[in-house]
Amino acid sequence: MQRRRYLAVCGTAAAGLLAGCNQTGGSSPGNNETVEGEAQFNNIIINAPQQAPIGSEVTMTISARNFGGQTGTYEDRIVTSNGDTDFAQDISITDVQSGQTGEVEVNAPVNGAGEYRFTLEEAEVSATVNVTAEAVEIGKMVDVGNNLQLTFTDASFRGGVYYRYVDNVGWTTDMFAPGESGRTLAVFKGKMKNTGSQETVIRPERFSVTEGTVFNNLDGKPLSTVESVEGQSLIGSPIKGGQTVEGWVLASVPKNQVQQNGVGVGWSLNAQGGGPDRVWSFPPRALPTWQQLEFRLSDRPDNGQITGEITVRNAGQVESTFYGLAEFHYQGVGWVPAAYPSGTVAPGATKTFTFDYGWPYIQQMEWRIQPFPDTRRMVEAGPLTLDYGQETYGIDESTVTVSNPRFMQRYSYSATQSSGGENNQVTKQREASGGKKFLFVDVKATVGKEGGQVPLPDSFVVKAGESNIKPFVGPTPTNPDVSFYSGANGGKQGDTSTGVLVFEVPSSVSRPAVNYHEEFRELTSDITWN
């Protein structure tokens, strides 16, 4: 049989089926009419289901009516013009008699979720099929392609997560929150197995959340910095061949979605993302409502330390963990994280959190507590005066103590002396200059954080009238047997640097005042021991 020209017109699908069609060519005779001559075709229709499950085959019936005067064959090519499956197949409806309708069945695989559009290329007739994602039981491990198996076991919701990273001032812990009113953070706990032999890293495009946003970083920091969630991020973490990892996916979702409809986390078989092909759905649940009842803060630092207190109430109907962040800023500097009030609170109950923060600086501060940023508290500051032996905060969260002031008129030290071509160690005396005496003080400084700094020796002076006397730099004393304070920086948290500072002061000084003054990252320390 030879192929005959066609004329496509819109037809009507059978009940429960979807027919897509477009009109092409000139006018068409009625459904019961024919014309003389070779075979011609109209009423070209694709009958296809409106919906189909993922991973199935869609069965479509293509029909065409021969309104010509001779028996003929209708030929065309059906392709996917939209959808995850690259499908194309030539079709042929043979031996269609004049005035009759012929048909042929076509099966097309649909491997991914989404909207598929199947089109006859020459007739320009189409049908649309919506392929729905596979609903997976919570905790059930399923294949998700590329030698990977995946399941999700739990979903929890919170106001923030803590994360820790290194910046230009060392280690910093901060809190990441949804950022928008009416939203909450969702943590989906899951398990993934790599059944292959090659290591793989999961891209964020693979995951999606109902009405939500999946995070692949926290304010530009990698998800590996998260501290307050057990396990590792499933996004961006390498999974070795044969390895099973337990981890999580972090997302922001509307609270109304969680409370009214529930939320699902999905996986896309397509590496570039798109609609999910596997979905684990979690039912609706109640969320806590947090109220800030009180926020109290020191008016001024006490011995270089600020004490704060916040009381919150869980006004919701479900027990939950409160995640807060106490932060401050001062002139010229943005908000700095300082303390992390966190704890479980029963529905209707209140809880008070306290925190301390070292502030040895003279700059004024403004504080707030997240997630209640509108309530602010001011802290006045200024120079600090202490008794010898009192410990206070120094720069970079360090602690520092100046103690045991004592006077000496002379001290011994060891020196090398050449005589007869030989070098010998000898003991010498250093005498104070006329009208002066030596002041020895002990200094102890402790590193406050990893890689942190402590006060340097040249940041200390003795106040004597209008004079600021700097420490003496010279041979190390042997009698008394002491070491100079060096103020070593960049150590581990808890490392201690101890030693003496020696000043040559007027003989008239009886109660010397040792002042520590240092500029550090736009902050000024001004502390005096006397």
Side-chain angles (χ1 to χ4, degrees):
M1 298 288 182
Q2 62 179 341
R3 181 176 178 191
R4 305 298 182 185
R5 65 187 179 90
Y6 63 85
L7 182 65
V9 298
C10 291
T12 303
L17 301 176
L18 176 66
C21 64
N22 296 305
Q23 185 170 339
T24 184
S27 60
S28 171
N31 287 339
N32 297 320
E33 298 179 8
T34 59
V35 296
E36 294 183 359
E38 61 184 14
Q40 301 181 64
F41 292 89
N42 64 2
N43 288 1
I44 301 168
I45 298 172
I46 303 174
N47 283 331
Q50 290 179 325
Q51 292 186 338
I54 191 171
S56 65
E57 282 194 341
V58 174
T59 298
M60 296 172 285
T61 300
I62 301 170
S63 60
R65 177 180 178 272
N66 182 0
F67 68 91
Q70 300 176 12
T71 298
T73 296
Y74 175 73
E75 294 178 345
D76 208 327
R77 181 176 175 84
I78 187 169
V79 298
T80 48
S81 54
N82 185 60
D84 189 54
T85 301
D86 187 15
F87 173 78
Q89 181 176 321
D90 293 326
I91 62 105
S92 179
I93 305 174
T94 61
D95 298 329
V96 183
Q97 297 181 5
S98 176
Q100 299 299 308
T101 297
E103 61 184 35
V104 66
E105 281 192 355
V106 173
N107 294 317
V110 285
N111 298 322
E115 182 181 273
Y116 287 72
R117 189 169 181 85
F118 296 94
T119 301
L120 289 166
E121 289 184 327
E122 293 197 29
E124 297 182 353
V125 174
S126 299
T128 300
V129 180
N130 288 309
V131 178
T132 55
E134 176 186 349
V136 185
E137 180 183 346
I138 300 298
K140 180 180 178 181
M141 188 81 85
V142 295
D143 291 326
V144 291
N146 297 319
N147 297 317
L148 294 174
Q149 295 179 343
L150 174 66
T151 189
F152 284 95
T153 57
D154 182 50
S156 60
F157 304 91
R158 56 177 69 188
V161 295
Y162 300 128
Y163 63 107
R164 183 171 169 80
Y165 58 93
V166 177
D167 61 8
N168 60 344
V169 298
W171 284 100
T172 297
T173 299
D174 208 337
M175 187 179 79
F176 182 78
E180 299 180 29
S181 177
R183 299 182 76 87
T184 184
L185 290 181
V187 179
F188 298 96
K189 290 290 187 71
K191 184 186 296 185
M192 176 165 275
K193 181 177 182 180
N194 181 358
T195 62
S197 58
Q198 301 296 317
E199 182 177 275
T200 187
V201 176
I202 307 304
R203 294 179 55 82
E205 292 83 2
R206 293 284 194 176
F207 294 102
S208 60
V209 172
T210 310
E211 299 297 327
T213 301
V214 174
F215 294 111
N216 64 351
N217 66 77
L218 304 179
D219 295 330
K221 309 299 186 299
L223 294 171
S224 58
T225 60
V226 170
E227 285 196 320
S228 57
V229 181
E230 185 179 354
Q232 66 187 65
S233 168
L234 293 179
I235 295 174
S237 297
I239 306 175
K240 297 179 180 178
Q243 184 183 17
T244 299
V245 299
E246 294 187 7
W248 41 265
V249 171
L250 181 67
S252 169
V253 294
K255 292 181 180 179
N256 288 340
Q257 178 71 34
V258 177
Q259 295 170 318
Q260 298 175 10
N261 304 312
V263 64
V265 56
W267 169 273
S268 174
L269 295 173
N270 188 332
Q272 304 305 316
D277 302 301
R278 309 280 191 270
V279 175
W280 290 260
S281 296
F282 295 88
R285 67 180 67 181
L287 295 175
T289 301
W290 298 108
Q291 297 174 341
Q292 179 178 266
L293 301 183
E294 289 188 86
F295 176 26
R296 295 174 292 276
L297 202 63
S298 307
D299 293 332
R300 296 180 63 88
D302 182 10
N303 194 15
Q305 181 170 279
I306 295 167
T307 299
E309 188 174 276
I310 175 177
T311 301
V312 299
R313 178 175 182 266
N314 182 358
Q317 300 178 350
V318 59
E319 182 179 84
S320 189
T321 300
F322 173 78
Y323 294 93
L325 174 66
E327 55 185 359
F328 67 88
H329 76 101
Y330 53 95
Q331 186 175 4
V333 175
W335 291 99
V336 178
Y340 315 91
S342 176
T344 301
V345 186
T350 63
K351 191 162 189 172
T352 298
F353 303 94
T354 60
F355 61 89
D356 297 319
Y357 191 78
W359 189 252
Y361 310 110
I362 65 174
Q363 280 80 4
Q364 182 188 62
M365 324 162 68
E366 183 179 40
W367 286 75
R368 69 184 182 186
I369 304 288
Q370 298 286 9
F372 315 108
D374 295 334
T375 302
R376 309 288 178 91
R377 296 288 184 269
M378 299 299 298
V379 175
E380 300 294 334
L384 180 64
T385 300
L386 303 173
D387 292 332
Y388 282 114
Q390 282 189 283
E391 183 182 71
T392 188
Y393 284 94
I395 62 170
D396 213 14
E397 302 180 25
S398 65
T399 56
V400 59
T401 308
V402 176
S403 62
N404 192 24
R406 64 264 190 206
F407 296 109
M408 300 183 70
Q409 197 61 40
R410 66 188 60 83
Y411 68 84
S412 301
Y413 65 94
S414 181
T416 301
Q417 182 173 293
S418 297
S419 177
E422 294 184 357
N423 293 327
N424 299 301
Q425 292 295 116
V426 298
T427 298
K428 293 187 174 184
Q429 294 283 324
R430 179 175 178 83
E431 297 279 347
S433 304
K436 294 186 178 181
K437 58 185 175 182
F438 293 119
L439 168 66
F440 283 66
V441 293
D442 296 333
V443 179
K444 176 183 177 181
T446 302
V447 177
K449 61 182 182 179
E450 292 297 311
Q453 301 190 46
V454 296
L456 295 174
D458 62 2
S459 60
F460 293 87
V461 299
V462 167
K463 298 281 189 179
E466 298 298 322
S467 301
N468 291 326
I469 303 170
K470 287 190 170 293
F472 168 76
V473 178
T476 301
T478 57
N479 183 21
D481 186 10
V482 294
S483 298
F484 285 126
Y485 170 74
S486 62
N489 286 318
K492 296 181 180 179
Q493 183 177 8
D495 284 355
T496 298
S497 180
T498 60
V500 300
L501 293 176
V502 180
F503 304 87
E504 194 175 41
V505 300
S507 298
S508 60
V509 172
S510 60
R511 185 168 180 80
V514 177
N515 176 258
Y516 160 59
H517 186 98
E518 188 166 1
E519 303 290 334
F520 179 76
R521 295 174 185 152
E522 302 183 20
L523 291 168
T524 303
S525 294
D526 193 338
I527 306 168
T528 299
W529 286 265
N530 60 24

